[in-house]
Amino acid sequence: MIDEEIRQAAIQKSKEIKLLLLGAGESGKSTIAKQLKIIHQSGYSRDELRAHTLPVLANCLTALKVVVGVTQRDQELSKRAKKVAKEIQFLSEVTVTTGQELKDKLPHLFNDPAIKKTIDNLVNYRAPDSAAYFLKNLDRIFAEGFVPTVEDVLRARIKTSGVYETRFQNDNSSWILVDVGGQRHERRKWIRCFDGVTAVLFCVALNEYDLGLEEDNRVNRMHESLKLFEETCNSAFFNDASIILFLNKDDLFREKIQRVDLNVCFEEYTGGKNYEKALKFIRGEFKSSKRKVYTHVSVATDTENIQFIFKAVLDTILSNESKRGWQV
């Protein structure tokens, strides 16, 4: 009986279409995995939303610390604002469980002219991608009885450590999406996920062309992504897998390219601060001479955008598999 159950489980697993999410840290991989839960599963229950309270609070505190740190580095705070800033800096993202204690003190901070100036110019500083979003929603998030919204969950940055699987059904086919951590110290775990991969979904953060790695600020994030992408395309593990490229965070890239020329990352780029020219150049950099690459420009926090793209992605994968004689 047990042997038969094992055999049936093995048969079922062999019929699964396995998608592997790869990319450097902070490329938006895990946000895409969250979107699949929304699109192809039942979404987030109230209990599941409530379970994300601490990560959302931690993201709020991180945003506040960035604003306070940048402001105090360049400007002088009022006495009241300085006191609140000190309290914020001593709080830990790991232990914060409520924002109610800070809520009544925030006006002292946000009414300070120096703090206002920093927030108004936040795009000019190396703040987390969703810092502005969380700063705008502090009153709601720090209120008593707060339960995160779906958008809060999508916006909250949580480092992926280990391997996470999302299973779903689509057009009578069984799919499994495998998400692994993108930081350098997590990549040694990748190889255990390489067996039986049908398609690799490789994520690149378009807007991070002027930033260094969190692990090593001397290494440009876009250059790191290019190196990883080349290694992925050339890997024998993925000879039979489709390669799907997500050029992600397009919304942030559109905004940044107006301020920061792409030539800070690619000296040979001469298109100036032009979105279309810069995007075309990056597309060209991520082409492979050995593999066909299916490229999509995405905004991982936009459910409608990801739903549209994923329909095309899944159709592409099914088409490629059927050409190989795989029965779906």
Side-chain angles (χ1 to χ4, degrees), residues 96-114:
V96 64
T97 58
T98 177
Q100 293 172 54
E101 186 179 337
L102 277 175
K103 186 178 180 182
D104 294 336
K105 300 173 184 178
L106 288 180
H108 298 313
L109 189 69
F110 290 151
N111 288 334
D112 186 278

Side-chain angles (χ1 to χ4, degrees), residues 157-204:
R157 161 75 177 143
I158 306 171
K159 287 183 182 179
T160 303
S161 180
V163 179
Y164 294 88
E165 297 181 351
T166 302
R167 283 183 162 83
F168 61 96
Q169 294 289 126
N170 184 68
D171 292 338
N172 299 317
S173 300
S174 298
W175 303 72
I176 176 171
L177 180 78
V178 181
D179 181 21
V180 293
Q183 270 75 27
R184 283 180 168 181
H185 66 277
E186 291 286 337
R187 293 175 198 165
R188 61 180 178 272
K189 303 173 186 175
W190 286 10
I191 195 166
R192 72 179 72 166
C193 308
F194 286 179
D195 185 48
V197 172
T198 310
V200 175
L201 312 184
F202 193 95
C203 292
V204 177

Side-chain angles (χ1 to χ4, degrees), residues 18-261:
K18 183 177 179 180
L19 312 178
L20 180 60
L21 266 174
L22 295 182
E26 299 184 61
S27 58
K29 295 187 293 83
S30 297
T31 307
I32 289 175
K34 292 175 188 176
Q35 290 285 19
L36 284 193
K37 178 175 175 59
I38 295 168
I39 296 167
H40 287 289
Q41 295 182 341
S42 57
Y44 287 90
S45 67
R46 189 168 178 82
D47 285 342
E48 288 173 324
L49 290 172
R50 195 177 283 115
H52 283 81
T53 299
L54 296 185
V56 170
L57 289 172
N59 276 253
C60 290
L61 184 55
T62 298
L64 283 169
K65 285 185 174 183
V66 169
V67 170
V68 165
V70 167
T71 307
Q72 289 189 313
R73 185 186 66 202
D74 301 326
Q75 304 169 72
E76 185 67 26
L77 292 177
S78 66
K79 188 175 180 180
R80 278 187 169 184
K82 194 177 291 185
K83 183 179 179 182
V84 178
K86 188 175 182 180
E87 290 182 35
I88 289 171
Q89 288 176 320
F90 275 102
L91 288 173
S92 168
E93 286 88 346
V94 178
T95 58
V96 64
T97 58
T98 177
Q100 293 172 54
E101 186 179 337
L102 277 175
K103 186 178 180 182
D104 294 336
K105 300 173 184 178
L106 288 180
H108 298 313
L109 189 69
F110 290 151
N111 288 334
D112 186 278
I115 292 290
K116 285 183 177 180
K117 184 178 178 182
T118 298
I119 293 175
D120 289 343
N121 294 281
L122 198 60
V123 293
N124 296 318
Y125 302 106
R126 296 192 174 187
D129 291 336
S130 292
Y133 170 83
F134 285 115
L135 290 170
K136 288 177 183 176
N137 288 278
L138 286 179
D139 284 344
R140 174 177 60 84
I141 294 171
F142 284 179
E144 186 177 356
F146 164 70
V147 176
T149 64
V150 171
E151 186 168 6
D152 293 337
V153 172
L154 289 173
R155 297 273 188 172
R157 161 75 177 143
I158 306 171
K159 287 183 182 179
T160 303
S161 180
V163 179
Y164 294 88
E165 297 181 351
T166 302
R167 283 183 162 83
F168 61 96
Q169 294 289 126
N170 184 68
D171 292 338
N172 299 317
S173 300
S174 298
W175 303 72
I176 176 171
L177 180 78
V178 181
D179 181 21
V180 293
Q183 270 75 27
R184 283 180 168 181
H185 66 277
E186 291 286 337
R187 293 175 198 165
R188 61 180 178 272
K189 303 173 186 175
W190 286 10
I191 195 166
R192 72 179 72 166
C193 308
F194 286 179
D195 185 48
V197 172
T198 310
V200 175
L201 312 184
F202 193 95
C203 292
V204 177
L206 282 170
N207 66 315
E208 296 187 341
Y209 59 90
D210 65 330
L211 301 178
L213 291 179
E214 182 178 321
E215 309 94 305
D216 184 354
N217 196 52
R218 297 168 299 178
V219 179
N220 179 278
R221 293 189 185 188
M222 184 71 77
H223 293 168
E224 179 82 351
S225 289
L226 275 168
K227 178 184 174 185
L228 278 175
F229 182 69
E230 185 177 354
E231 290 174 358
T232 300
C233 289
N234 293 335
S235 173
F237 285 105
F238 306 132
N239 280 344
D240 296 324
S242 300
I243 304 293
I244 316 287
L245 176 66
F246 281 73
L247 295 178
N248 194 33
K249 303 189 181 182
D250 180 57
D251 54 335
L252 301 176
F253 176 66
R254 284 176 180 269
E255 185 280 323
K256 180 176 278 188
I257 196 63
Q258 297 176 44
R259 299 180 290 106
V260 184
D261 198 308

